[in-house]
Amino acid sequence: MTLHSHPATLPIDPVKLERLAEVAIRVGLRLERGQDLVITAPIAALPLVREITRHAYLAGAGLVTTFYSDEETTLARYRHAPDESFDRASGWLYEGMAKAYAGGAARLAISGDNPMMLAAEDPARVARANKANSIAYKPALEKISNFDINWNIVSFPNPAWARQVFPDDPEPVAVEKLANAIFAASRVDVADPVAAWEAHNAGLARRSAWLNGERFAALHFTGPGTDLTVGLADGHEWHGGASTAKNGITCNPNIPTEEVFTTPHALRVEGHVSSTKPLSHQGTLIDEISVRFEGGRIVEAKASKGEQVLNKVLDTDEGARRLGEVALVPHSSPISKSGILFFNTLFDENASCHIALGQCYSKCFLDGASLTPEQIAAQGGNASLIHIDWMIGSDKVDIDGIAADGSRTPVMRKGEWA
Ligand code: ZN
Ligand code: ZN
């Protein structure tokens, strides 16, 4: 650990950091008495890991186990490991995690890695390492993407991340600014964050209920560089805010969250769409994406920056060229209003309407918990090793809901709920 990331010297409000830990356990996970917890975190997030671990045990956690990652050690692999290393992953670790989740453990991830960590590395190697990791991670990730267990992700303002977001400020100032932006977006800068989250969840539940009542067959997005019809999966269900995992626990997987989202039909997406914010994908910035869909499949993909990486991502597997999520977020969301580009999907996706390439969420189907993967595919749910969100909303984008009989209902006008 370098001196500047020593906990005692971090310019981070300790009261708000503790509130974030409390929100992660009491709102994000709703950890149950006796439940075990598996945490993954960058080593720089140690101060938050300590607070979360303390609050986990205060909430009655059985056993808390944390796995740390570190930028320097990740880069050491790219600099010095033999070439065949990039087709491998620590499968034994992910098998162990899958076992823990199957045994009832909850899962908490702390995000905050340097978004440009791998920017200077060979994109082919990055793609190979990601693919090997995705394959090895699958048994554990399925427990999360199928919502078998309560899980949560929160963020810590890593100095390397803060420098990226606020490049003109000295590091301590950048860290303080990013910390305050994370606290505001995570709604822990108020006196009673748990009550604030209850009110926020109620608002998202109202939006989801309206969309579920309308039962649109498709959404039509129009805006600069965008004329896109996203067919929705048969029996799709909208979700937003807190929802109930298959283990019966109602939790808030993403903190922050501003979206209501559902599953598009993998075969029924037509037209073209342009991104409205850059996508930071595992160390590479992909900017000004524009893609064209035919029969649900991306047949043409361009980007002003990172096009090579984008096309590698699309070649991951057959499902990587099709959509697994469509999400609605008003342009006036607090994260959008902050005007900050976080270079982190957890935040940036909550600033804007977005779509995701790849794997769908089975919970976004009516009675999704009882559907087999084959049934989900038959209803139009996409399958892939990847799930990558990118932003297509702005104050210039309109959205109509199209009913099965072809009638149209305004859903959003100029980025706001109609
Ligand atoms: Zn989303
Ligand atoms: Zn997503």
Side-chain angles (χ1 to χ4, degrees):
M1 187 181 283
T2 53
L3 185 64
H4 63 239
S5 64
H6 191 279
T9 66
L10 280 174
I12 297 173
D13 184 332
V15 175
K16 288 176 187 165
L17 190 72
E18 199 200 329
R19 281 189 192 152
L20 182 60
E22 193 184 353
V23 161
I25 294 298
R26 288 185 54 198
V27 178
L29 287 175
R30 296 242 191 139
L31 197 73
E32 297 222 311
R33 281 208 160 267
Q35 196 176 19
D36 288 352
L37 175 61
V38 176
I39 302 175
T40 54
I43 193 82
L46 186 59
L48 181 58
V49 173
R50 286 176 173 161
E51 285 299 331
I52 286 174
T53 303
R54 200 165 64 82
H55 276 278
Y57 284 123
L58 284 171
L63 184 64
V64 180
T65 309
T66 304
F67 297 93
Y68 293 98
S69 59
D70 167 58
E71 184 171 345
E72 299 280 318
T73 48
T74 299
L75 289 176
R77 181 187 182 197
Y78 280 89
R79 305 279 149 77
H80 307 298
D83 188 63
E84 57 270 26
S85 166
F86 295 91
D87 296 314
R88 298 184 53 209
S90 301
W92 53 269
L93 175 64
Y94 297 127
E95 280 164 28
M97 284 183 180
K99 222 183 227 181
Y101 305 149
R107 146 91 170 142
L108 191 144
I110 299 177
S111 87
D113 278 322
N114 176 5
M116 301 308 283
M117 177 167 70
L118 301 175
E121 306 306 323
D122 173 11
R125 279 188 156 187
V126 173
R128 282 165 61 202
N130 286 342
K131 188 171 182 179
N133 221 54
S134 295
I135 292 167
Y137 190 28
K138 208 178 170 201
L141 184 63
E142 274 177 351
K143 300 263 191 295
I144 298 166
S145 60
N146 292 339
F147 213 24
D148 288 350
I149 55 160
N150 48 330
W151 61 272
N152 173 240
I153 174 165
V154 290
S155 293
F156 183 83
N158 253 340
W161 178 22
R163 286 199 307 269
Q164 176 76 30
V165 179
F166 300 103
D168 301 329
D169 292 303
E171 186 176 285
V173 177
V175 170
E176 189 179 13
K177 280 186 177 176
L178 181 58
N180 289 334
I182 290 170
F183 294 145
S186 307
R187 296 169 195 264
V188 299
D189 61 346
V190 294
D192 188 348
V194 176
W197 271 95
E198 270 171 26
H200 182 47
N201 277 327
L204 293 169
R206 274 197 307 276
R207 296 291 186 205
S208 308
W210 177 71
L211 288 160
N212 284 327
E214 293 292 331
R215 301 233 52 81
F216 293 125
L219 297 178
H220 183 210
F221 292 75
T222 48
T226 291
D227 184 350
L228 183 74
T229 302
V230 179
L232 301 181
D234 301 329
H236 69 272
E237 188 172 59
W238 289 88
H239 283 270
S243 54
T244 305
K246 285 184 197 164
N247 66 3
I249 300 173
T250 301
C251 64
N252 263 94
N254 285 1
I255 288 185
T257 185
E258 303 288 339
E259 60 173 351
V260 293
F261 59 103
T262 195
T263 302
H265 197 293
L267 308 178
R268 298 181 196 151
V269 184
E270 303 289 343
H272 57 272
V273 60
S274 301
S275 63
T276 49
K277 282 169 183 285
L279 164 64
S280 172
H281 176 67
Q282 294 176 326
T284 307
L285 204 66
I286 309 175
D287 203 2
E288 296 182 78
I289 301 170
S290 89
V291 303
R292 194 163 60 80
F293 286 89
E294 268 179 29
R297 191 169 184 274
I298 292 178
V299 292
E300 204 180 314
K302 289 185 190 135
S304 68
K305 240 190 244 170
E307 185 174 297
Q308 201 189 349
V309 174
L310 174 66
N311 279 299
K312 281 245 156 38
V313 165
L314 294 175
D315 287 337
T316 307
D317 53 27
E318 174 55 29
R321 287 184 178 271
R322 299 181 185 273
L323 296 186
E325 179 193 344
V326 58
L328 305 181
V329 179
H331 184 70
S332 59
S333 89
I335 296 170
S336 174
K337 274 202 286 193
S338 78
I340 299 168
L341 180 65
F342 285 84
F343 301 96
N344 178 320
T345 301
L346 183 58
F347 290 84
D348 294 327
E349 77 159 350
N350 283 301
S352 164
C353 292
H354 55 272
I355 48 181
L357 301 169
Q359 181 65 39
C360 72
Y361 290 110
S362 62
K363 78 166 179 178
C364 288
F365 284 93
L366 294 165
D367 205 17
S370 67
L371 297 178
T372 64
E374 291 72 26
Q375 287 169 320
I376 285 170
Q379 289 182 222
N382 192 32
S384 173
L385 288 170
I386 66 161
H387 176 99
I388 297 172
D389 302 90
W390 51 285
M391 286 22 102
I392 63 165
S394 76
D395 57 357
K396 294 175 185 69
V397 173
D398 292 341
I399 305 170
D400 279 351
I402 305 176
D405 66 5
S407 63
R408 286 174 171 260
T409 305
V411 173
M412 285 193 162
R413 286 293 175 266
K414 299 196 181 309
E416 298 302 327
W417 289 104

